[in-house]
Amino acid sequence: MIKKWFLGLSLGTSLIVLSACGGADESAENENAQPETQEQAQSGEESAGQPEMPEPDLEGIPDVVAQVNDEEVSKEEFETAYTGQFQQAAMQAQMSGQEIDQTQLKNQLAESMVGQKLLIQEAEKQELTASDEEVDKTLEQLAQQNGLESKDEFLSALNDQGMPEEEVMSQIETQVKVDQLIAQSAGNTDPSNEELEAAYEQVKAQQEQMGSEEELPAFEELKPELEEQVKMQKENEATQMLVAELREKADVTINL
C-alpha cells in the first residue's frame, strides 16, 4: 500500500527491479544446485509452447514526454518508469494470455506521471513537511513489504540497484508529504459497518463468480482487512478527485 501510484515511478521502479533480482538470485541458486536439469527444463518450457517475454517499445518517445506547469517529464524519466511498468504488465499478460496494448500503457503511465507532478507541486505549494519519524516509519514499512528485515537492508539493496540513499530518502520524504496532502483531501476515511458489510458481500460475490470452493472466513475474521480495503478505496477516490481538480487549473501538455 505504501507504493502508491503517484510515486511508483522512480522509487517504485527500483522496487520492481529489486524484487526481480531477488527472484533471479533464487533461480541462480536452483541452477547451481541442479545444473544438469537446466537444458531439460528449457526444452520442457519450449515444448509447452510458452510465449517469449515481450520487449518494451521505446521507439519514438519524445525528449519531453509531458509539460506540467513549469516542470517537464523527460524521456529518460519516462523510459525508466515505462520499463518497470511494462515488466509487470508482461508478467500479468503471460499468466492471462492477453496481449499488451503498449500505446494504452504508455498513455496511462504519462497520465500517472502528470498526476504525480501535480500532487508534488501542490504539496510544495502548501509547504507541507515530513518529520524524521514519519520518514523512518515509511522506510520500515517499505522494507517489510519487500521482504527485508530492516531499513538498512532495504537501503543497501536499492543502493546495489544504483539508487543511492540520498535519493531514496528524498523520494520517501516527498511521498510522506503527498500522503499528508491526500489525507487532508480525503478527510475521515474510517469505514462504517454498513460499508464493511457491503465490502464483505462483494468479496463473497466475487468468490462465487470465480467458482471457488474455498470457504470464505466469517465477517468478523475478515473485518480488519476489509477496513484497510475500504480506507484505501476512499483514499484512491480522493486522490483521483484531487488530481482532477489540480489538472483543471494547471497547464499540462502530453506529447505522446
Side-chain angles (χ1 to χ4, degrees):
M1 295 187 311
I2 300 299
K3 293 179 282 185
K4 296 178 181 174
W5 66 270
F6 47 83
L7 279 185
L9 304 176
S10 177
L11 178 58
T13 300
S14 295
L15 294 174
I16 293 167
V17 172
L18 174 60
S19 177
C21 286
D25 290 342
E26 291 175 5
S27 298
E29 290 175 4
N30 292 336
E31 289 170 3
N32 290 334
Q34 296 179 321
E36 68 279 1
T37 64
Q38 181 179 8
E39 292 182 1
Q40 295 175 351
Q42 290 176 345
S43 176
E45 289 177 358
E46 291 173 2
S47 62
Q50 291 185 357
E52 293 183 3
M53 184 72 75
E55 295 292 330
D57 178 14
L58 301 177
E59 290 187 11
I61 304 296
D63 291 337
V64 177
V65 173
Q67 184 80 29
V68 187
N69 294 319
D70 58 348
E71 290 189 63
E72 295 180 350
V73 176
S74 68
K75 176 180 179 178
E76 180 182 4
E77 193 178 353
F78 182 85
E79 288 182 344
T80 300
Y82 182 71
T83 300
Q85 292 282 335
F86 182 83
Q87 288 172 351
Q88 283 188 322
M91 287 187 287
Q92 292 173 353
Q94 274 198 327
M95 290 186 290
S96 66
Q98 295 180 339
E99 292 187 6
I100 302 172
D101 186 339
Q102 293 210 47
T103 299
Q104 182 182 36
L105 190 61
K106 288 174 185 175
N107 288 331
Q108 289 174 343
L109 178 60
E111 290 290 344
S112 291
M113 297 182 80
V114 166
Q116 177 209 28
K117 294 282 187 187
L118 290 170
L119 289 169
I120 292 173
Q121 289 172 5
E122 182 65 17
E124 291 175 349
K125 180 180 177 181
Q126 294 192 21
E127 298 182 349
L128 299 176
T129 59
S131 68
D132 292 341
E133 292 77 8
E134 290 171 315
V135 171
D136 283 344
K137 181 180 178 181
T138 300
L139 190 56
E140 292 288 355
Q141 288 174 320
L142 280 168
Q144 291 175 7
Q145 288 173 3
N146 285 273
L148 301 174
E149 295 182 356
S150 68
K151 63 181 183 180
D152 291 335
E153 187 177 351
F154 176 71
L155 290 171
S156 176
L158 285 181
N159 186 66
D160 291 342
Q161 298 301 318
M163 196 170 186
E165 180 176 340
E166 294 78 10
E167 184 178 350
V168 176
M169 298 302 289
S170 175
Q171 291 219 14
I172 291 178
E173 182 179 349
T174 299
Q175 179 168 313
V176 169
K177 294 176 183 178
V178 174
D179 283 346
Q180 292 174 2
L181 180 68
I182 291 172
Q184 291 176 7
S185 178
N188 183 11
T189 58
D190 292 337
S192 66
N193 205 58
E194 290 77 13
E195 288 173 322
L196 294 176
E197 289 175 351
Y200 182 78
E201 291 301 322
Q202 185 178 16
V203 172
K204 184 189 295 185
Q206 290 174 346
Q207 188 179 40
E208 292 174 354
Q209 187 177 10
M210 294 171 60
S212 175
E213 298 181 359
E214 184 179 354
E215 184 178 355
L216 186 69
F219 171 74
E220 289 298 329
E221 188 176 343
L222 278 183
K223 195 171 182 179
E225 295 177 30
L226 293 170
E227 288 176 345
E228 196 67 30
Q229 175 185 323
V230 173
K231 288 181 71 172
M232 209 159 75
Q233 288 174 346
K234 290 184 176 183
E235 289 177 0
N236 289 340
E237 290 170 2
T239 301
Q240 293 170 8
M241 290 180 61
L242 179 56
V243 169
E245 292 172 4
L246 294 173
R247 177 134 189 191
E248 284 184 4
K249 299 178 289 185
D251 183 11
V252 176
T253 304
I254 295 178
N255 301 318
L256 289 179

